[in-house]
Amino acid sequence: MPTARVTLDTMAERLAGVTECPGFEAELFLLHTTGWNRAQLIARMNSPVDDTPLEPLILRRLAHEPVAYILGSWEFFSLELAIEAPLLVPRPETEELVERALSHLAPDAGRVLDLCTGTGCVALAIACNAPESTVVATDIHPVAVRVAKANGERHQQSLSVFEGDLFSALPEDTSPFRVVVSNPPYVEATTWDGLAPDIRNYEDPGALLSGVDGLDCIRRIIAEAPDWLLPGGLLALEMGESQGAAVLALLQDRGFVNCAIVKDLAGHDRIAQGIYPASI
Ligand code: GLN
C-alpha cells in the first residue's frame, strides 16, 4: 500500500485538471476515507493507506462534481453542515451576510428571517452566534427544507424552516423581524453558459438564476420586506458583483435608509443592505 504522502501527491496530480486547489481537495478526500483528523494525517504521512475507497471519489470529482456533494458535508462559518445535490454549496463570501446580521443584532437578541436558506448555512451561523435570537428560514426546495432542519438539529439549534416561495412560506401569525437576510438566486441568464461546470452541471439552476438581469428575486424581496420588518430593521442581501448600483436604487426607492454596499474579500461588491425606517 502507498504511504499517505504518495497517495496525496498522486491524487493531487490527477485533480489538477479540474480544480485550482488540488492539494487541499486531495487532503479532504483522504481525511474522509481514513476518518483521520488533520493532526493524525500529519503524524501519519509515512504510514501506508488503503487507496481503494478513494477511487470512486476521485472519479466523481474528475467529472466536476463539487467536493461538498462528494463528501456530503461542507464547512461554513466554522460549522460543519450536511449538504446534498442540488443545494447551493455555501460560498465563503456569504459569511459576510452573517456578519451583517450579527452586528445589527448586537447587543440585543431579535427575530431573524433567512430567505432561500438552502443548507440553512446563514440561518444556522446566525443562530449559533446570537443564541438569544429566534431564527426562521424559508426555501422553496423541499430538499433544502429537509437538510436545513437536519443541520439545525445537528447543531442543537431550534431553527424553524418553512417550505415555500419567499415570505409566502411563513405562517400567518408570524411576528415581524429585526433582521431579514438572503442569499437569493441572482445570476443573469446570459452568464449561465460561462459558469464553471461544477456549478452549471450540478447546482440547482433555481438557486442561481433569476430572470434576464438576475434581479427578479431580489426585486421581490425588496418589495415585500417592509411588510415583515420591524422599524429600524435590517435587510441584507447577497448579490452579483455588477448589481450594486441597481440593488441600491431598489432599496432607496422602497424607502430604505442608510443603504450601503459591502465588498467581499476579493474586493467585489457582494452585499447590499438598508434599514427600514420607523416612518416613511
Ligand atoms: N455566487 C454564486 C455563484 O458562484 C451565485 C450564488 C447565488 O446566485 N446566490 O455563481
Side-chain angles (χ1 to χ4, degrees):
M1 284 194 293
T3 62
R5 190 186 309 279
V6 168
T7 305
L8 283 175
D9 289 346
T10 317
M11 222 186 331
E13 222 169 276
R14 292 175 70 192
L15 293 172
V18 294
T19 171
E20 284 170 11
C21 319
F24 174 67
E25 293 189 8
E27 194 176 301
L28 289 179
F29 288 137
L30 187 58
L31 294 177
H32 183 76
T33 58
T34 56
W36 297 345
N37 62 34
R38 272 206 96 227
Q40 290 168 324
L41 173 61
I42 290 163
R44 295 171 187 166
M45 272 297 184
N46 295 318
S47 307
V49 289
D50 178 9
D51 58 0
T52 357
L54 286 166
E55 194 55 26
L57 311 188
I58 299 170
L59 292 178
R60 287 170 69 180
R61 187 63 187 124
L62 290 176
H64 291 277
E65 184 170 347
V67 183
Y69 292 169
I70 300 171
L71 300 178
S73 74
W74 201 238
E75 193 182 302
F76 178 82
F77 217 84
S78 303
L79 293 168
E80 194 69 27
L81 300 171
I83 180 162
E84 61 186 64
L87 303 182
L88 192 84
V89 177
R91 321 276 206 249
E93 57 267 31
T94 305
E95 295 193 356
E96 185 61 36
L97 202 54
V98 177
E99 303 281 10
R100 298 286 111 198
L102 292 176
S103 66
H104 195 72
L105 286 170
D108 307 315
R111 290 172 50 75
V112 180
L113 172 63
D114 175 32
L115 301 164
C116 313
T117 197
T119 55
C121 59
V122 170
L124 256 178
I126 297 170
C128 290
N129 290 282
E132 302 298 314
S133 292
T134 302
V135 184
V136 177
T138 74
D139 202 290
I140 201 164
H141 204 299
V143 172
V145 174
R146 173 169 53 75
V147 172
K149 279 183 182 166
N151 277 325
E153 282 161 27
R154 179 174 179 160
H155 291 282
Q156 284 113 41
Q157 296 297 325
S158 57
L159 204 62
S160 309
V161 190
F162 299 103
E163 182 180 331
D165 191 14
L166 301 179
F167 298 97
S168 71
L170 296 169
E172 257 171 39
D173 58 351
T174 301
S175 309
F177 298 94
R178 191 161 147 75
V179 172
V180 174
V181 286
S182 182
N183 173 17
Y186 58 69
V187 173
E188 299 94 331
T190 46
T191 314
W192 183 250
D193 290 341
L195 291 182
D198 311 35
I199 298 175
R200 195 166 20 91
N201 297 341
Y202 290 93
E203 290 182 316
D204 177 18
L208 293 157
L209 293 170
S210 198
V212 179
D213 62 359
L215 292 172
D216 282 6
C217 192
I218 287 181
R219 266 189 288 269
R220 287 183 51 209
I221 294 174
I222 293 175
E224 293 172 38
D227 297 340
W228 297 94
L229 276 167
L230 287 167
L234 171 80
L235 174 63
L237 302 170
E238 184 171 323
M239 50 157 201
E241 59 190 77
S242 61
Q243 296 170 337
V247 180
L248 207 55
L250 287 168
L251 285 168
Q252 285 161 346
D253 289 350
R254 189 68 180 92
F256 284 87
V257 296
N258 298 343
C259 299
I261 301 292
V262 184
K263 291 188 188 299
D264 61 21
L265 290 175
H268 299 132
D269 288 355
R270 187 59 60 196
I271 311 272
Q273 67 172 43
I275 304 291
Y276 197 64
S279 60
I280 54 165

